[in-house]
Amino acid sequence: MKVMDHTAHDDSTVHDHAAHEGHRGGHAGASWSTAARATLHCLTGCAIGEITGMAIGTALLWSNVPTMALAIGLAFVFGYSFTLFAVARAGLDLKTAIKVALAADTVSIAVMELVDNTIIALTPGAMDAHLDEALFWGALLGGFAVAFLVTTPLNKWMIGRGKGHAVVHAYH
């Protein structure tokens, strides 16, 4: 086993952990807690956007397709914005911050939205339920729970390969 000398590292600069993942002949695996935190970060933005979109579409008595389209669109907007604002605060210019947010969150948000909206669409009566009905909230929150369980292993796999949320770690 080859050991790398880290004594020359300057701790005052941003350290890119992804650049050092191959020291032992491969990529280091991400921990489940890291994957869960990344998924919760993503889920928070998705949930805010999706709940807002579903609430707007339902309150305006829109049909299912435009309501879901708005909810999914807002889930991406809010999901990306959480990462975008975090890396912009770390000093990245807007163009670079957008690239990092897109690289970090696209797959995670897409899978989360696919799973969540499939569950909502397949739950009998959920798309016709109103905001004051338990079925509306049960299907929505149940979809989020299943989406979290499906997306966490995906994020673990991606982070372990320096992809997805791993690109954000260099800016924390």
Side-chain angles (χ1 to χ4, degrees):
M1 181 167 106
K2 183 178 177 182
V3 177
M4 182 175 215
D5 179 12
H6 289 278
T7 58
H9 285 278
D10 178 3
D11 290 334
S12 66
T13 61
V14 175
H15 184 74
D16 184 0
H17 294 282
H20 294 286
E21 296 207 26
H23 290 320
R24 289 183 287 258
H27 290 287
S31 70
W32 281 105
S33 64
T34 297
R37 281 191 309 275
T39 306
L40 281 173
H41 172 85
C42 189
L43 180 63
T44 302
C46 288
I48 291 169
E50 190 157 339
I51 290 169
T52 301
M54 289 290 202
I56 291 169
T58 302
L60 295 176
L61 304 176
W62 288 0
S63 65
N64 293 346
V65 172
T67 298
M68 286 184 97
L70 177 63
I72 292 167
L74 289 177
F76 273 91
V77 168
F78 278 91
Y80 285 139
S81 68
F82 276 33
T83 299
L84 179 70
F85 292 133
V87 296
R89 268 195 319 267
L92 269 69
D93 61 277
L94 183 59
K95 183 178 177 182
T96 304
I98 290 170
K99 286 180 181 180
V100 168
L102 291 172
D105 294 333
T106 299
V107 172
S108 183
I109 295 171
V111 169
M112 202 169 293
E113 286 304 298
L114 176 67
V115 171
D116 179 49
N117 283 283
T118 298
I119 289 171
I120 292 167
L122 294 177
T123 302
M127 286 302 298
D128 297 320
H130 295 280
L131 295 174
D132 61 350
E133 295 179 45
L135 180 58
F136 174 88
W137 293 103
L140 192 61
L141 298 176
F144 289 149
V146 173
F148 175 82
L149 293 174
V150 170
T151 309
T152 300
L154 172 67
N155 280 333
K156 182 181 185 311
W157 180 80
M158 289 175 53
I159 293 167
R161 281 149 188 77
K163 307 287 184 201
H165 287 268
V167 300
V168 175
H169 293 174
Y171 305 104
H172 282 276

